[in-house]
Amino acid sequence: MVKQQRAARTREALVQAAAAAFDLVGYEAASLAHVSKSAGISMGALTFHFPTKETLATAVQVRGASTTRAATEHLRDRTERPLRTLIDLTLELARLLDEDVAVRAAARLTRECPRSAAPWTDEWLPTAKTLLEHAAKEELRPHADAEALLTLTTHLVTGTESHIRRCALVPGERESAQEQLCRIWQLVLAGISRDPDALL
Amino acid sequence: MVKQQRAARTREALVQAAAAAFDLVGYEAASLAHVSKSAGISMGALTFHFPTKETLATAVQVRGASTTRAATEHLRDRTERPLRTLIDLTLELARLLDEDVAVRAAARLTRECPRSAAPWTDEWLPTAKTLLEHAAKEELRPHADAEALLTLTTHLVTGTESHIRRCALVPGERESAQEQLCRIWQLVLAGISRDPDALL
């Protein structure tokens, strides 16, 4: 039992160190030697638990996915106000990307390894799609393009992730990712143009 | 003269090969040996022209920036319909990101090397900001949050770049990046909600 606990602690330290590495430099540039060193765990033990970089990346993605699932589960079952729920889903993703290194790493790995076993987007994109279908009946403007809105939602999440990374590299005061995204949704909800039909 | 022409051709081949590498795997993972091999130019000649990976990355960024400047210059001088001009600017960026490997590499390098000498965003973000200031007077809805709109514009460009990369990794039929972005702008211009004030 003690041995199992020790193995679990070793795996945990490796997943955390790998998440930090994948988050910072991406899949290709991340080095197992660096992960081993920053976790304080020998290369022998690392390769015992994770024989390849791919298995380590999958473990990080599974971790990021399960954190995301736990934090957004309550939104999936909400039946009222689907558009508000979609916005809340993206705000929760913004918070997770801001605060959780495994979630941020999972988002990056999903972009860089498109055939990965546990894509991060699987945790929220199908929910977003269902919410938009429900919103189309009552909350969206008539003829609003639901497919483009799903892409816009994805762009907002990607843009938020990119903004968080930029802020991490060039530190300074900034509003939270959630606050910023909230202001953007206000624009998108009400529209920005006095005369939209004249423009496109 | 012939010698100078040969040197210019060598530099050109190296910049093209480096753009492809930085675009595909990013700054950290790109290898000078791989660039030398794919350009068909010796490591000796490569390090003669570009002594470090950083100088090569700067050359790629300068190339991406100058292509972007040439393609968007006519939009900077347009004085009428600034909101329409802003949209045209993002559509032109979407086309460049879709079609030009040096532009795509410059966009990626700017994200990954935030202290770089020639950030790609410098080519269009100041123009976007000025256009939004002009649009605020006549074309934007009263009280529209211009700062949030600039961030939204950046998110749309980042999201488009990410979408193009995803499509490159998982090939298949898709609408052009410009067409997709145009549909998103239609949503943003008119707004998506029947009752925006009730939502946030």
Side-chain angles (χ1 to χ4, degrees):
Chain A
M1 192 57 193
V2 172
K3 200 171 163 190
Q4 280 175 357
Q5 284 174 349
R6 203 180 305 139
R9 271 205 305 272
T10 303
R11 288 178 66 92
E12 176 61 26
L14 288 168
V15 167
Q16 282 299 329
F22 289 131
D23 172 40
L24 197 63
V25 299
Y27 183 79
E28 288 292 339
S31 113
L32 294 186
H34 174 82
V35 170
S36 145
K37 200 175 163 194
S38 79
I41 285 160
S42 71
M43 273 301 278
L46 187 154
T47 48
F48 172 77
H49 289 286
F50 301 104
T52 61
K53 198 201 272 193
E54 202 180 334
T55 54
L56 194 50
T58 301
V60 169
Q61 287 193 285
V62 167
R63 169 65 55 87
S66 84
T67 301
T68 304
R69 197 176 317 130
T72 59
E73 215 152 30
H74 65 290
L75 295 171
R76 297 183 196 205
D77 305 325
R78 238 200 245 167
T79 51
E80 281 172 12
R81 307 178 74 207
L83 187 52
R84 173 73 240 193
T85 306
L86 173 76
I87 293 169
D88 285 343
L89 176 65
T90 63
L91 294 176
E92 190 58 27
L93 295 175
R95 186 188 67 76
L96 291 168
L97 287 167
D98 214 359
E99 296 174 3
D100 193 301
V101 69
V103 171
R104 219 157 45 232
R108 180 166 190 166
L109 288 168
T110 298
R111 275 188 283 108
E112 295 181 358
C113 317
R115 280 171 195 80
S116 69
W120 181 63
T121 39
D122 279 9
E123 292 306 320
W124 59 271
L125 207 48
T127 308
K129 197 162 181 240
T130 307
L131 289 168
L132 274 174
E133 281 161 12
H134 293 160
K137 287 174 202 142
E138 285 185 17
E139 292 179 299
L140 294 187
R141 288 163 67 102
H143 314 299
D145 182 340
E147 193 184 81
L149 184 46
L150 188 63
T151 309
L152 168 59
T153 305
T154 311
H155 284 4
L156 293 185
V157 174
T158 309
T160 299
E161 184 202 338
S162 177
H163 180 79
I164 289 167
R165 291 185 188 287
R166 206 158 47 235
C167 292
L169 290 169
V170 187
E173 282 283 317
R174 65 163 174 105
E175 67 184 334
S176 80
Q178 275 190 313
E179 281 162 1
Q180 188 190 67
L181 188 52
C182 207
R183 286 166 64 195
I184 291 175
W185 273 118
Q186 276 166 338
L187 287 175
V188 173
L189 287 170
I192 61 166
S193 170
R194 293 191 197 188
D195 188 6
D197 295 331
L199 265 156
L200 280 173
Chain B
M1 192 59 194
V2 171
K3 201 174 162 188
Q4 280 174 358
Q5 284 175 348
R6 202 181 305 138
R9 269 206 306 273
T10 302
R11 288 179 66 91
E12 175 61 28
L14 288 168
V15 167
Q16 282 298 330
F22 289 132
D23 171 41
L24 197 63
V25 299
Y27 183 79
E28 287 292 340
S31 114
L32 294 186
H34 174 82
V35 170
S36 146
K37 199 173 163 194
S38 80
I41 286 161
S42 73
M43 271 303 277
L46 187 153
T47 47
F48 172 77
H49 289 286
F50 301 103
T52 61
K53 198 201 270 192
E54 203 180 333
T55 54
L56 194 50
T58 300
V60 169
Q61 286 192 288
V62 167
R63 168 65 53 87
S66 83
T67 303
T68 303
R69 197 176 316 132
T72 59
E73 215 151 31
H74 65 290
L75 296 171
R76 297 183 197 206
D77 304 325
R78 236 199 246 170
T79 52
E80 281 173 11
R81 307 179 75 206
L83 186 53
R84 175 70 239 194
T85 307
L86 174 75
I87 293 169
D88 285 342
L89 176 65
T90 63
L91 294 176
E92 190 59 27
L93 295 175
R95 185 188 67 76
L96 290 168
L97 288 167
D98 213 359
E99 295 175 2
D100 193 301
V101 69
V103 171
R104 220 157 44 234
R108 180 165 190 168
L109 288 168
T110 297
R111 275 188 284 108
E112 295 181 359
C113 317
R115 279 170 195 81
S116 69
W120 181 64
T121 39
D122 279 8
E123 293 307 320
W124 58 271
L125 208 49
T127 308
K129 198 163 180 239
T130 308
L131 289 167
L132 274 173
E133 280 160 14
H134 293 160
K137 288 173 202 143
E138 285 185 17
E139 292 179 300
L140 294 188
R141 287 164 68 103
H143 315 297
D145 181 340
E147 193 184 82
L149 184 46
L150 189 63
T151 310
L152 168 59
T153 305
T154 311
H155 284 5
L156 293 184
V157 174
T158 309
T160 298
E161 184 202 338
S162 176
H163 180 78
I164 289 167
R165 291 186 189 287
R166 206 159 44 236
C167 291
L169 291 168
V170 187
E173 283 283 317
R174 66 164 172 107
E175 67 182 333
S176 81
Q178 277 191 310
E179 281 162 0
Q180 188 190 65
L181 188 52
C182 207
R183 286 167 63 196
I184 291 175
W185 273 118
Q186 277 167 336
L187 287 176
V188 173
L189 287 171
I192 62 166
S193 169
R194 292 190 197 189
D195 188 7
D197 296 330
L199 266 156
L200 279 175

